[in-house]
């Protein structure tokens, strides 16, 4: 039940926000007739030296050619108001030469026209680039290959394509294919409305092979099995993959490791993990598969320990036991070493692991984020592991593409030159809580004056399997921009977060709202100790797990003067039967709600609802499958009945991740206005 993810899809201009305050509907909110709180929104300044989050160029992916000379990347397109349009452009550059980046497109429309083009993949000889594009038909991606000239369309399918990867001999491209799909894959996007007799029918994402010469596509995995991630064996005869039968969105949490034979399509089960499993990677000699296993709450937010298992079967071996870090990416080098990109104390670290000796060598470590978007890690290596391309950003530096020797990268793009933070200093804090070392980021207000007292907003991240690192805020971030408006912002990473190892990540199992809440409140006290914060002006907010913790927090204390709960969970018992990904709950609660209702009730905000006195704004999408709308309605209804000041805003056809620019902006403006009206 994570925060807002990095899946891109076409945006729609239609906008209806349903506002309900104490039983009175305030009418339709439209893009043409903004509400009075518009002035409280994120400032928009385009002059050099100033910025707003909404004018930052975002990058979706980087891909370094195997030869290490050329890097390709994806840029998210924005409109004149700085809002993402749902379109993406592909660029390539020889980063060691002072040559302007070149745009690659399957379209032939006039200059300035943009399509949804992404998912780039280099051929083994670095001469061809595969990618996906909807240049022929909007919202219908097809597979293309470019070899120095005009891109060639390989497929003509109906459905959703994703994640192309070349075979070792360069003759075939594997791709994930969801035939006749009605929407983009994944639980973060808006759910398709269901009517009539409800049945367990699923669109399965299968592994398909495309012949580069003829364009012929052949699906090789069973029609009843959903494929999540995969990696080619070096001989090109088999593929390692993670998969589960049935509902793809929910069953990611019980996916297993398989090996599929290319010729016969036969899938051989290799390993059933105890927790969640991601990032399968086959060794250069084809004898071993590496993967990451750990407790994870969201398909797009991953972290855990690095394991290896013989391709012919056996017992997996943990290469990073008790390590105070969470592995995010793992890949092999030509000499059978493993490159591990990890979150270590909310800093990005790249390590080289020797699977034989267990020795771990740190190649790079810094307080920054090597990612493109919220959970979309961007790190691409050459086969020797010495050269990489990535997207770097921090609280002080906007995102750009970098490439070169690991840790000695050269800046490739300069799309955000001149942008400066419109918030204050970001300090990494550490505090003790129940014997745990807990980390968080305290963002200082813009134009900070040490002689003044300021309000504080506590922002709880989604997940809980996630972690706030030093990274430039993306458009969906409605919390960091609060520092532009005179607030301290505390990003706490309580137990359950990534970055401190699996013991820390698993410490809130069967304990939601207790140990993790104590961690957060200890962080509030630490912030009050070191900074000029007015203890009478505290606010609380978050999305998804953060929305749940906001609902929970106002039932546990009256220290907060205002709260904003985004896509939260009010009642675990009803939530269990409403959400579309109920498999995620078993590892965290131990049993289903039907087998152990007490553990769910113990952590439900509604159990303690009569304690609430805090004015609370509630925000949610009407098509959210992860944290469904009824949860927000249930909490609002309770507050309204009890006479607590509240307001509910439901956004039309938005899922767990908002994609319509007008909704993204409206959400930020409402959050700022709500806190301003109660804390200033």
């Amino acid at each position: 039940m994570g925060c807002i993810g990095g899946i891109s899809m076409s945006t729609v201009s239609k906008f209806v926000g349903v506002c309900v305050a104490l039983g009175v509907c305030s009418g339709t909110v439209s893009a043409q007739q903004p509400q009075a709180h518009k002035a409280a929104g994120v400032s928009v300044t385009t002059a050099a030296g100033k910025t707003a989050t909404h004018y930052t160029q975002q990058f979706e992916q980087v891909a370094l050619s195997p030869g290490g000379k050329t890097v390709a990347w994806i840029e998210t397109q924005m409109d004149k108001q700085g809002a993402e349009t749902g379109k993406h452009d592909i660029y390539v550059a020889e980063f060691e030469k002072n040559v302007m980046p070149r745009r690659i497109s399957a379209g032939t429309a006039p200059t300035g026209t943009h399509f949804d083009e992404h998912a780039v993949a280099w051929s083994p000889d670095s001469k061809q680039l595969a990618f996906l594009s909807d240049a022929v038909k909007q919202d219908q991606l097809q597979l293309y290959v470019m070899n120095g000239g005009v891109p060639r369309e390989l497929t003509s399918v109906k459905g959703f394509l994703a994640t192309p990867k070349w075979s070792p001999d360069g003759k075939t491209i594997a791709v994930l294919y969801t035939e006749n799909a009605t929407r983009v894959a994944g639980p973060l996007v808006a759910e398709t409305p269901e009517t009539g007799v409800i049945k367990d029918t699923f669109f399965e994402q299968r592994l398909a092979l495309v012949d580069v010469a003829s364009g012929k596509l052949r699906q090789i995995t069973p029609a009843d099995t959903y494929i999540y991630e995969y990696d080619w064996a070096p001989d090109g005869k088999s593929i390692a993959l993670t998969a589960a039968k049935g509902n793809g969105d929910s069953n990611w949490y019980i996916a297993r490791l398989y090996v599929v034979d290319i010729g016969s399509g036969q899938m051989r089960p290799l390993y059933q993990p105890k927790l969640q499993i991601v990032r399968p990677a086959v060794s250069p000699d084809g004898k071993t598969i590496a993967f990451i296993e750990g407790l994870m709450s969201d398909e797009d937010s991953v972290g855990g320990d690095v394991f290896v298992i013989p391709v012919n079967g056996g017992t997996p071996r943990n290469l990073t036991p008790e390590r105070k870090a969470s592995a995010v990416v793992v890949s092999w080098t030509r000499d059978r070493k493993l490159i591990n990109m990890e979150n270590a104390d909310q800093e990005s670290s790249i390590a080289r692991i020797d699977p034989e000796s267990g020795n771990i060598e740190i190649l790079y470590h810094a307080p920054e984020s090597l990612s493109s978007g919220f959970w979309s890690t961007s790190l691409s290596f050459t086969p020797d592991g010495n050269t990489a391309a990535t997207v770097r950003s921090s609280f002080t530096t906007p995102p750009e593409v970098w490439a070169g020797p690991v840790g000695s990268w050269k800046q490739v793009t300069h799309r955000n030159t001149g942008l400066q933070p419109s918030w204050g200093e970001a300090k990494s804090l550490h505090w003790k809580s129940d014997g745990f070392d807990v980390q968080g980021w305290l963002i200082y207000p813009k134009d900070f004056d040490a002689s003044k007292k300021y309000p504080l907003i506590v922002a709880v991240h989604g997940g809980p399997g996630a972690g706030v690192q030093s990274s430039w805020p993306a458009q969906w971030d409605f919390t960091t921009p609060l520092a532009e408006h005179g607030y301290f912002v505390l990003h706490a990473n309580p137990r359950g977060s990534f970055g401190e190892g699996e013991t820390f990540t698993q410490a809130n199992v069967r304990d939601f709202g207790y140990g993790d809440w104590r961690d957060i409140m200890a962080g509030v006290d630490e912030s009050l100790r070191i900074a000029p914060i007015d203890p009478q002006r505290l606010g609380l907010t978050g999305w998804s797990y953060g929305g749940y913790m906001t609902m929970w927090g106002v039932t546990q204390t009256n220290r907060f003067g205002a709260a904003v709960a985004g896509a939260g969970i009010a009642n675990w018992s009803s939530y269990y039967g409403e959400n579309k990904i109920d498999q995620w709950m078993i590892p965290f609660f131990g049993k289903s709600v039907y087998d152990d209702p007490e553990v769910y009730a113990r952590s439900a905000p509604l159990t303690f609802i009569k304690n609430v006195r805090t004015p609370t704004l509630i925000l949610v999408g009407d098509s959210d499958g992860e944290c469904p709308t009824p949860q927000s309605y249930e909490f609002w209804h309770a507050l309204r009945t009890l006479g607590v000041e509240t307001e509910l805003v439901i956004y039309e056809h938005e899922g767990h991740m908002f994609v319509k620019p007008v909704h993204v902006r409206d959400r930020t403006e409402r959050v700022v206005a709500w806190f301003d009206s109660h804390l200033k």
Side-chain angles (χ1 to χ4, degrees):
M1 58 164 183
C3 196
I4 307 165
I7 301 173
S8 63
M9 60 185 296
S10 296
T11 56
V12 184
S13 59
K14 186 178 180 182
F15 169 43
V16 176
V18 180
C19 308
V20 189
L22 298 177
V24 180
C25 182
S26 61
T28 299
V29 180
S30 71
Q32 291 73 31
Q33 296 178 323
Q35 295 291 293
H37 65 247
K38 181 74 172 180
V42 175
S43 60
V44 175
T45 305
T46 57
K50 295 184 178 181
T51 183
T53 300
H54 290 283
Y55 279 87
T56 303
Q57 174 63 65
Q58 299 291 339
F59 301 89
E60 183 183 281
Q61 178 199 3
V62 292
L64 184 62
S65 64
K69 301 295 184 183
T70 308
V71 61
W73 67 90
I74 313 299
E75 295 187 5
T76 301
Q77 284 304 309
M78 299 184 294
D79 61 21
K80 293 181 179 180
Q81 286 72 46
E84 295 182 5
T85 65
K87 303 298 183 182
H88 301 83
D89 290 343
I90 301 172
Y91 286 88
V92 296
E94 295 182 59
F95 61 89
E96 293 182 346
K97 300 179 180 179
N98 293 322
V99 179
M100 290 291 292
R102 179 168 58 102
R103 182 187 169 193
I104 300 297
S105 177
T108 58
T111 302
T113 300
H114 302 280
F115 308 97
D116 189 16
E117 299 183 310
H118 54 93
V120 291
W122 289 100
S123 61
D125 61 6
S126 302
K127 295 180 179 179
Q128 301 184 81
L129 188 69
F131 62 93
L132 301 176
S133 173
D134 71 346
V136 172
K137 182 180 180 181
Q138 184 176 351
D139 298 329
Q140 176 56 69
L141 296 172
Q142 301 294 351
L143 179 64
Y144 288 79
V145 168
M146 184 167 185
N147 186 3
V150 177
R152 178 167 58 96
E153 183 178 2
L154 286 188
T155 62
S156 181
V157 299
K158 181 181 180 182
F160 183 72
L161 295 174
T163 322
K165 292 185 180 182
W166 292 78
S167 63
D169 63 7
K171 296 180 179 179
T172 305
I173 300 174
V175 67
L176 297 177
Y177 176 40
T178 313
E179 190 172 9
N180 297 318
T182 56
R183 64 174 179 86
V184 175
L188 295 174
V189 300
E191 295 288 337
T192 302
E194 295 178 307
T195 57
V197 178
I198 306 302
K199 299 180 180 179
D200 287 331
T201 56
F202 315 112
F203 288 94
E204 301 293 17
Q205 182 169 263
R206 301 169 64 185
L207 184 66
L209 302 180
V210 181
D211 180 71
V212 175
S214 66
K216 183 179 179 180
L217 181 145
R218 175 171 64 96
Q219 299 187 70
I220 65 168
T221 54
D224 65 348
T225 303
Y226 197 101
I227 312 301
Y228 299 98
E229 297 178 297
Y230 70 95
D231 190 44
W232 284 91
D235 61 5
K237 296 181 180 179
S238 63
I239 289 176
L241 51 82
T242 58
K245 292 184 181 297
N247 186 322
D249 289 350
S250 185
N251 289 338
W252 175 81
Y253 300 93
I254 57 173
R256 300 184 181 188
L257 181 65
Y258 293 84
V259 175
V260 60
D261 180 80
I262 296 300
S264 66
Q266 182 177 357
M267 289 180 60
R268 175 169 57 89
L270 188 61
Y271 175 56
Q272 180 177 354
K274 298 177 182 178
L275 295 169
Q276 284 68 59
I277 183 173
V278 294
R279 312 291 197 245
V282 185
S283 63
D285 61 6
K287 296 180 179 180
T288 308
I289 300 174
F291 58 87
I292 296 171
E293 182 178 351
L295 182 65
M296 308 175 206
S297 55
D298 292 86
E299 184 175 338
D300 292 315
S301 179
V302 303
D305 285 332
V306 177
F307 288 77
V308 290
I309 187 172
V311 74
N312 292 325
T315 302
R317 184 162 50 97
N318 190 345
L319 300 181
T320 58
E322 305 302 322
R323 185 167 178 79
K324 294 195 70 175
S326 301
V328 179
V329 174
V330 63
S331 62
W332 292 92
T333 62
R334 195 177 282 131
D335 59 355
R336 294 195 71 253
K337 301 295 190 297
L338 284 166
I339 296 291
N340 169 33
M341 189 271 210
E342 59 188 6
N343 175 344
D345 196 34
Q346 307 311 324
E347 298 187 350
S348 290
S349 181
I350 300 175
R352 180 185 287 119
I353 304 174
D354 185 339
E356 301 302 323
S357 67
N359 181 62
I360 300 177
E361 175 191 3
I362 301 300
L363 303 178
Y364 181 76
H365 188 92
E368 65 177 3
S369 174
L370 305 180
S371 72
S372 53
F374 182 57
W375 285 331
S376 178
T377 301
S378 284
L379 194 61
S380 178
F381 287 94
T382 51
D384 60 12
N386 295 325
T387 305
T390 187
V391 176
R392 303 173 67 190
S393 80
S394 69
F395 281 125
T396 58
T397 307
E400 298 287 2
V401 176
W402 295 69
V406 174
S408 299
W409 293 296
K410 175 182 178 181
Q411 187 172 342
V412 178
T413 64
H414 297 82
R415 298 293 197 238
N416 293 311
T417 298
L419 298 187
Q420 299 295 325
S422 51
W423 47 91
E425 180 184 3
K427 290 186 177 181
S428 179
L429 304 185
H430 290 82
W431 60 89
K432 293 284 187 179
S433 177
D434 296 346
F436 285 106
D437 294 315
V438 186
Q439 187 274 347
W441 299 95
L442 185 62
I443 313 299
Y444 277 59
K446 180 183 179 182
D447 302 324
F448 171 69
D449 182 346
S451 67
K452 297 181 179 180
K453 286 274 192 176
Y454 292 86
L456 168 72
I457 306 299
V458 179
V460 186
H461 64 65
V468 178
Q469 293 184 283
S470 178
S471 62
W472 193 269
Q475 285 196 6
W476 50 262
D477 185 351
F478 60 88
T479 57
T480 301
L482 287 163
E484 300 179 31
H485 298 272
Y487 295 92
F488 275 94
V489 178
L490 174 64
H491 290 289
N493 289 300
R495 70 190 75 175
S497 303
F498 295 147
E500 302 292 340
E502 275 298 293
T503 298
F504 188 80
T505 299
Q506 296 182 33
N508 70 342
V509 170
R510 295 177 60 85
D511 196 47
F512 274 29
Y514 291 90
D516 44 9
W517 180 246
R518 292 194 296 273
D519 294 349
I520 291 169
M521 294 309 294
V524 172
D525 293 337
E526 177 65 11
S527 300
L528 289 169
R529 186 185 70 83
I530 69 166
I533 296 169
D534 183 351
Q536 302 304 314
R537 292 191 290 158
L538 304 180
L540 177 64
T541 190
W543 196 268
S544 192
Y545 170 75
Y548 156 71
M549 288 299 283
T550 300
M551 292 179 177
W552 174 262
V554 297
T555 72
Q556 302 301 302
T557 180
N558 293 318
R559 290 179 66 180
F560 295 96
V564 179
I569 296 171
N571 183 354
W572 290 108
S573 297
S574 58
Y575 171 80
Y576 197 96
E578 293 169 354
N579 77 91
K580 300 291 187 180
I581 55 168
D582 59 5
Q583 289 287 1
W584 83 265
M585 303 177 73
I586 303 299
F588 285 93
F589 287 87
K591 296 180 180 179
S592 77
V593 71
Y594 314 119
D595 294 319
D596 190 357
E598 290 80 10
V599 72
Y600 289 86
R602 175 178 179 267
S603 293
L606 279 191
T607 301
F608 307 95
I609 194 66
K610 286 193 174 182
N611 297 333
V612 182
R613 301 292 182 271
T614 306
T616 304
L617 170 65
I618 304 166
L619 309 170
V620 70
D622 73 350
S623 303
D624 191 332
E626 288 208 6
C627 297
T629 312
Q631 289 297 306
S632 291
Y633 191 93
E634 196 168 347
F635 197 73
W636 166 80
H637 184 274
L639 296 187
R640 175 175 173 267
T641 302
L642 295 171
V644 179
E645 182 184 355
T646 186
E647 183 175 87
L648 172 64
V649 184
I650 302 175
Y651 292 85
E652 184 184 51
H653 199 56
E654 291 285 13
H656 202 56
M657 176 197 69
F658 283 17
V659 296
K660 301 175 186 177
V662 69
H663 290 173
V664 173
R665 286 180 175 275
D666 183 81
R667 175 175 54 194
T668 299
E669 291 161 4
R670 288 182 184 277
V671 171
V672 173
W674 187 263
F675 284 127
D676 280 354
S677 66
H678 292 88
L679 301 182
K680 288 186 176 181

